[in-house]
Structure formats: C-alpha cells, structure tokens
Amino acid sequence: MIVIVDANIVFSGILNSNGKIGDLLINSANSFVFIAPEFLRTEIYKYHSKISKLSGMTLEEVREAEFQICKDIKFISEEQIKQSAWLLAEKLVSDVDPKDAPYIAYSKHFNCKIWSGDKKLVSGLAKKGFTEFISIEDLYKWKAAH
C-alpha cells in the first residue's frame, strides 16, 4: 500500500523514533511504500535546531533519527504531479490550510491515502468530502493483515 506521510508525522517520528509512529516508519518497508513531497527534506533540515531543543538530542542525534525515520520514505519531486491534481488540491485546501496542498495533490495523483496528525486538515477536508486519510490504528491493522 502506498501512503503519503506528512511533515507532522515525520517530525513526530524523529522526536520519538521508539514510539508507534517511529516504529511504523522504520519497520514497515515490507508492508508500505511511504512517499512524501521532496520539499519535506528541506523542512526537516530547517527545523533541526528546534527538534534538538525540544527533544534534548544533539544535532548529530537528530540527524541520525532523521536518517532512520526517512530511510524508507521515497521523496518525490513536485514536478512529477499532474497539474489537474494540483488545481484540485489547491481548491480543496484554500480555506483550510493552503500549505497542505502538496499532500492532497500527491494523494490524487497516486490515488492513495495520507497519514497525517493534522486534525484541522483532516476534519476541514472531511466536511468537503475528501476522506483519503489513514490513521495509525488503520496502518497497524493493515500491516497485521498483510
């Protein structure tokens, strides 16, 4: 199953690589194909010092956690996504959170679910009929069944 991971999932995994999110991202290569927009790499790098301060980890430990969390995520260039997917995504998120348009565009392009901890995004888009999100519980169930 292809699953898009958003920034808050990756950050949560880096902050606690021994937790449930970290476990799924690190130990599920045989069950899921995790994908993310290429810009997420830049976002992670930009917040290394903040992650270090929040977690008490050294920058080296943050980089190691990032490596472990991201080693099985396939980062895909935004240019590979169809224009029609971008237009639909931008329309859907315009009044919810425009920064999240890439996740919706990728979901439309690859016809897959998004793993996000952003409750505002999930509920805002559910009101518009977009329900292509998957929870951590559903990921564990799917993994156990396959």
PDB file of all heavy atoms in Angstrom, residues 120-135:
ATOM      1  N   LYS A 120      -6.999  19.505  12.133  1.00  0.00           N
ATOM      2  CA  LYS A 120      -7.688  20.601  11.448  1.00  0.00           C
ATOM      3  C   LYS A 120      -7.814  20.282   9.950  1.00  0.00           C
ATOM      4  O   LYS A 120      -8.880  20.480   9.355  1.00  0.00           O
ATOM      5  CB  LYS A 120      -6.920  21.913  11.654  1.00  0.00           C
ATOM      6  CG  LYS A 120      -7.517  23.099  10.948  1.00  0.00           C
ATOM      7  CD  LYS A 120      -6.639  24.338  11.105  1.00  0.00           C
ATOM      8  CE  LYS A 120      -7.064  25.408  10.134  1.00  0.00           C
ATOM      9  NZ  LYS A 120      -6.064  26.449   9.968  1.00  0.00           N
ATOM     10  N   LEU A 121      -6.758  19.779   9.358  1.00  0.00           N
ATOM     11  CA  LEU A 121      -6.783  19.423   7.942  1.00  0.00           C
ATOM     12  C   LEU A 121      -7.750  18.273   7.695  1.00  0.00           C
ATOM     13  O   LEU A 121      -8.593  18.342   6.797  1.00  0.00           O
ATOM     14  CB  LEU A 121      -5.373  19.029   7.472  1.00  0.00           C
ATOM     15  CG  LEU A 121      -5.262  18.578   6.017  1.00  0.00           C
ATOM     16  CD1 LEU A 121      -5.526  19.753   5.075  1.00  0.00           C
ATOM     17  CD2 LEU A 121      -3.889  17.980   5.754  1.00  0.00           C
ATOM     18  N   VAL A 122      -7.652  17.225   8.490  1.00  0.00           N
ATOM     19  CA  VAL A 122      -8.496  16.045   8.307  1.00  0.00           C
ATOM     20  C   VAL A 122      -9.974  16.417   8.438  1.00  0.00           C
ATOM     21  O   VAL A 122     -10.788  16.071   7.578  1.00  0.00           O
ATOM     22  CB  VAL A 122      -8.108  14.926   9.305  1.00  0.00           C
ATOM     23  CG1 VAL A 122      -9.087  13.769   9.228  1.00  0.00           C
ATOM     24  CG2 VAL A 122      -6.680  14.440   9.039  1.00  0.00           C
ATOM     25  N   SER A 123     -10.325  17.145   9.485  1.00  0.00           N
ATOM     26  CA  SER A 123     -11.742  17.483   9.673  1.00  0.00           C
ATOM     27  C   SER A 123     -12.220  18.521   8.657  1.00  0.00           C
ATOM     28  O   SER A 123     -13.344  18.421   8.161  1.00  0.00           O
ATOM     29  CB  SER A 123     -12.014  17.957  11.102  1.00  0.00           C
ATOM     30  OG  SER A 123     -11.348  19.157  11.361  1.00  0.00           O
ATOM     31  N   GLY A 124     -11.366  19.491   8.330  1.00  0.00           N
ATOM     32  CA  GLY A 124     -11.741  20.506   7.340  1.00  0.00           C
ATOM     33  C   GLY A 124     -12.014  19.903   5.974  1.00  0.00           C
ATOM     34  O   GLY A 124     -12.971  20.281   5.289  1.00  0.00           O
ATOM     35  N   LEU A 125     -11.201  18.944   5.580  1.00  0.00           N
ATOM     36  CA  LEU A 125     -11.404  18.316   4.271  1.00  0.00           C
ATOM     37  C   LEU A 125     -12.525  17.287   4.299  1.00  0.00           C
ATOM     38  O   LEU A 125     -13.206  17.080   3.294  1.00  0.00           O
ATOM     39  CB  LEU A 125     -10.104  17.697   3.769  1.00  0.00           C
ATOM     40  CG  LEU A 125      -9.023  18.724   3.408  1.00  0.00           C
ATOM     41  CD1 LEU A 125      -7.771  18.034   2.890  1.00  0.00           C
ATOM     42  CD2 LEU A 125      -9.519  19.733   2.394  1.00  0.00           C
ATOM     43  N   ALA A 126     -12.751  16.655   5.448  1.00  0.00           N
ATOM     44  CA  ALA A 126     -13.863  15.701   5.564  1.00  0.00           C
ATOM     45  C   ALA A 126     -15.181  16.420   5.306  1.00  0.00           C
ATOM     46  O   ALA A 126     -16.082  15.857   4.656  1.00  0.00           O
ATOM     47  CB  ALA A 126     -13.860  15.042   6.938  1.00  0.00           C
ATOM     48  N   LYS A 127     -15.297  17.655   5.768  1.00  0.00           N
ATOM     49  CA  LYS A 127     -16.512  18.446   5.533  1.00  0.00           C
ATOM     50  C   LYS A 127     -16.742  18.692   4.046  1.00  0.00           C
ATOM     51  O   LYS A 127     -17.855  18.962   3.626  1.00  0.00           O
ATOM     52  CB  LYS A 127     -16.431  19.782   6.276  1.00  0.00           C
ATOM     53  CG  LYS A 127     -16.482  19.643   7.780  1.00  0.00           C
ATOM     54  CD  LYS A 127     -16.259  20.969   8.466  1.00  0.00           C
ATOM     55  CE  LYS A 127     -16.136  20.778   9.967  1.00  0.00           C
ATOM     56  NZ  LYS A 127     -15.663  21.981  10.647  1.00  0.00           N
ATOM     57  N   LYS A 128     -15.675  18.618   3.276  1.00  0.00           N
ATOM     58  CA  LYS A 128     -15.770  18.833   1.831  1.00  0.00           C
ATOM     59  C   LYS A 128     -15.839  17.512   1.066  1.00  0.00           C
ATOM     60  O   LYS A 128     -15.793  17.493  -0.156  1.00  0.00           O
ATOM     61  CB  LYS A 128     -14.557  19.639   1.344  1.00  0.00           C
ATOM     62  CG  LYS A 128     -14.484  21.026   1.932  1.00  0.00           C
ATOM     63  CD  LYS A 128     -13.263  21.737   1.406  1.00  0.00           C
ATOM     64  CE  LYS A 128     -13.238  23.175   1.885  1.00  0.00           C
ATOM     65  NZ  LYS A 128     -12.276  23.968   1.122  1.00  0.00           N
ATOM     66  N   GLY A 129     -15.877  16.406   1.791  1.00  0.00           N
ATOM     67  CA  GLY A 129     -15.993  15.097   1.147  1.00  0.00           C
ATOM     68  C   GLY A 129     -14.670  14.420   0.826  1.00  0.00           C
ATOM     69  O   GLY A 129     -14.642  13.342   0.240  1.00  0.00           O
ATOM     70  N   PHE A 130     -13.550  15.035   1.214  1.00  0.00           N
ATOM     71  CA  PHE A 130     -12.236  14.414   0.987  1.00  0.00           C
ATOM     72  C   PHE A 130     -11.854  13.648   2.248  1.00  0.00           C
ATOM     73  O   PHE A 130     -11.599  14.246   3.289  1.00  0.00           O
ATOM     74  CB  PHE A 130     -11.176  15.466   0.658  1.00  0.00           C
ATOM     75  CG  PHE A 130      -9.828  14.865   0.339  1.00  0.00           C
ATOM     76  CD1 PHE A 130      -9.487  14.527  -0.954  1.00  0.00           C
ATOM     77  CD2 PHE A 130      -8.890  14.630   1.350  1.00  0.00           C
ATOM     78  CE1 PHE A 130      -8.243  13.970  -1.245  1.00  0.00           C
ATOM     79  CE2 PHE A 130      -7.652  14.070   1.073  1.00  0.00           C
ATOM     80  CZ  PHE A 130      -7.331  13.737  -0.230  1.00  0.00           C
ATOM     81  N   THR A 131     -11.829  12.322   2.147  1.00  0.00           N
ATOM     82  CA  THR A 131     -11.571  11.487   3.319  1.00  0.00           C
ATOM     83  C   THR A 131     -10.414  10.523   3.096  1.00  0.00           C
ATOM     84  O   THR A 131     -10.359   9.460   3.698  1.00  0.00           O
ATOM     85  CB  THR A 131     -12.838  10.696   3.689  1.00  0.00           C
ATOM     86  OG1 THR A 131     -13.224   9.923   2.549  1.00  0.00           O
ATOM     87  CG2 THR A 131     -13.972  11.613   4.103  1.00  0.00           C
ATOM     88  N   GLU A 132      -9.492  10.884   2.255  1.00  0.00           N
ATOM     89  CA  GLU A 132      -8.379   9.999   1.916  1.00  0.00           C
ATOM     90  C   GLU A 132      -7.244  10.073   2.933  1.00  0.00           C
ATOM     91  O   GLU A 132      -6.090  10.289   2.585  1.00  0.00           O
ATOM     92  CB  GLU A 132      -7.854  10.315   0.507  1.00  0.00           C
ATOM     93  CG  GLU A 132      -8.870  10.050  -0.593  1.00  0.00           C
ATOM     94  CD  GLU A 132      -9.345   8.605  -0.585  1.00  0.00           C
ATOM     95  OE1 GLU A 132      -8.511   7.691  -0.547  1.00  0.00           O
ATOM     96  OE2 GLU A 132     -10.578   8.394  -0.585  1.00  0.00           O
ATOM     97  N   PHE A 133      -7.603   9.903   4.197  1.00  0.00           N
ATOM     98  CA  PHE A 133      -6.624   9.887   5.274  1.00  0.00           C
ATOM     99  C   PHE A 133      -6.637   8.511   5.915  1.00  0.00           C
ATOM    100  O   PHE A 133      -7.640   7.816   5.887  1.00  0.00           O
ATOM    101  CB  PHE A 133      -6.952  10.956   6.328  1.00  0.00           C
ATOM    102  CG  PHE A 133      -6.759  12.354   5.822  1.00  0.00           C
ATOM    103  CD1 PHE A 133      -7.827  13.066   5.302  1.00  0.00           C
ATOM    104  CD2 PHE A 133      -5.512  12.954   5.857  1.00  0.00           C
ATOM    105  CE1 PHE A 133      -7.652  14.359   4.816  1.00  0.00           C
ATOM    106  CE2 PHE A 133      -5.321  14.235   5.376  1.00  0.00           C
ATOM    107  CZ  PHE A 133      -6.399  14.943   4.848  1.00  0.00           C
ATOM    108  N   ILE A 134      -5.507   8.126   6.490  1.00  0.00           N
ATOM    109  CA  ILE A 134      -5.423   6.845   7.186  1.00  0.00           C
ATOM    110  C   ILE A 134      -4.815   7.095   8.562  1.00  0.00           C
ATOM    111  O   ILE A 134      -3.898   7.918   8.714  1.00  0.00           O
ATOM    112  CB  ILE A 134      -4.601   5.808   6.370  1.00  0.00           C
ATOM    113  CG1 ILE A 134      -4.767   4.417   6.956  1.00  0.00           C
ATOM    114  CG2 ILE A 134      -3.149   6.225   6.219  1.00  0.00           C
ATOM    115  CD1 ILE A 134      -4.369   3.302   6.010  1.00  0.00           C
ATOM    116  N   SER A 135      -5.361   6.421   9.546  1.00  0.00           N
ATOM    117  CA  SER A 135      -4.896   6.602  10.925  1.00  0.00           C
ATOM    118  C   SER A 135      -3.790   5.598  11.248  1.00  0.00           C
ATOM    119  O   SER A 135      -3.612   4.592  10.551  1.00  0.00           O
ATOM    120  CB  SER A 135      -6.061   6.395  11.899  1.00  0.00           C
ATOM    121  OG  SER A 135      -6.454   5.032  11.890  1.00  0.00           O
TER     122      SER A 135
END
